[in-house]
Amino acid sequence: SVKAIIIILFLYVMERMNREHPARRISSEYLGGRPHEQDDQNIKQVVEQLLKIADEINRNAELQRLVNQVEGNCAQDIFTTVARSIFSDGINWGRIVALFHLAYKLIYRAISTNHIENIRLVISWVLQVIKDQLYSWIVQQGGWEGVIRGFTRWRTVAIVASIALVASLVYYRKTR
């Protein structure tokens, strides 16, 4: 459901921020959610697996350099172009995490630069990409819980996803 996607994204962003920037604790409400909506244990397990995949992706220095070059106030068409190119040759959990990671970086930049209005924009863009491109695939995998069942192979997938994201961002830079 759309609500589950939003809660997973919110919790992913909150956990990522708490790990990378512990002094900047944020709540679901700050992102536009409701109190305690992220307390569901299944959602917590899904997010924990997504974060493990993201840790693998995060180790890629080239990826980090390129993600940092995407403007915090980028337009939706730029975000959508990068998102489409992430999934241009297939969908897997690692690539979905790459999308969440890009969203996290943009949300973090919005918070850091006090452009809070951009948070909802980025969230709406992610939702649009999921609805347009990923929802059917996620359902075919058994929903978000599919990431829990398949985690053992996601290390390899995470590396492939980071390469895909790097390629996407190189494409983005060349088309700017």
Side-chain angles (χ1 to χ4, degrees):
S1 73
V2 172
K3 183 179 178 185
I5 296 167
I6 293 171
I7 294 169
I8 290 167
L9 179 60
F10 283 177
L11 189 55
Y12 177 88
V13 169
M14 288 171 9
E15 290 297 321
R16 189 97 241 150
M17 186 153 323
N18 292 341
R19 290 177 184 195
E20 292 183 12
H21 308 282
R24 281 197 177 251
R25 289 216 173 269
I26 59 168
S27 66
S28 179
E29 297 88 11
Y30 187 81
L31 295 173
R34 295 193 181 110
H36 308 293
E37 67 185 355
Q38 71 279 3
D39 291 344
D40 180 289
Q41 285 306 316
N42 288 337
I43 287 179
K44 285 183 177 183
Q45 282 185 314
V46 167
V47 171
E48 195 54 43
Q49 296 304 338
L50 295 175
L51 288 166
K52 286 178 183 175
I53 296 169
D55 288 341
E56 295 289 329
I57 293 172
N58 226 11
R59 290 189 184 103
N60 184 315
E62 177 68 4
L63 169 71
Q64 292 310 307
R65 189 179 67 72
L66 291 170
V67 165
N68 289 335
Q69 290 180 359
V70 176
E71 295 296 318
N73 59 350
C74 73
Q76 181 177 4
D77 60 331
I78 293 169
F79 179 89
T80 303
T81 299
V82 172
R84 277 196 190 117
S85 58
I86 290 171
F87 301 105
S88 65
D89 62 345
I91 301 170
N92 61 46
W93 290 116
R95 291 173 187 223
I96 291 172
V97 170
L99 175 69
F100 275 41
H101 191 69
L102 178 61
Y104 157 71
K105 289 289 191 181
L106 294 174
I107 289 170
Y108 175 72
R109 253 191 241 133
I111 292 168
S112 300
T113 59
N114 207 24
H115 287 99
I116 307 307
E117 67 280 2
N118 290 348
I119 294 172
R120 288 211 170 125
L121 283 175
V122 171
I123 290 168
S124 70
W125 299 344
V126 172
L127 285 175
Q128 197 62 51
V129 169
I130 289 173
K131 285 193 275 188
D132 292 349
Q133 293 180 254
L134 309 175
Y135 188 75
S136 297
W137 184 88
I138 292 168
V139 170
Q140 289 172 352
Q141 307 309 306
W144 290 95
E145 290 79 13
V147 74
I148 297 168
R149 289 190 299 276
F151 181 68
T152 53
R153 57 193 162 138
W154 296 124
R155 275 191 172 212
T156 305
V157 171
I159 293 164
V160 171
S162 67
I163 292 166
L165 185 55
V166 167
S168 299
L169 292 169
V170 167
Y171 169 79
Y172 160 75
R173 278 181 51 211
K174 287 181 180 176
T175 58
R176 268 178 56 180

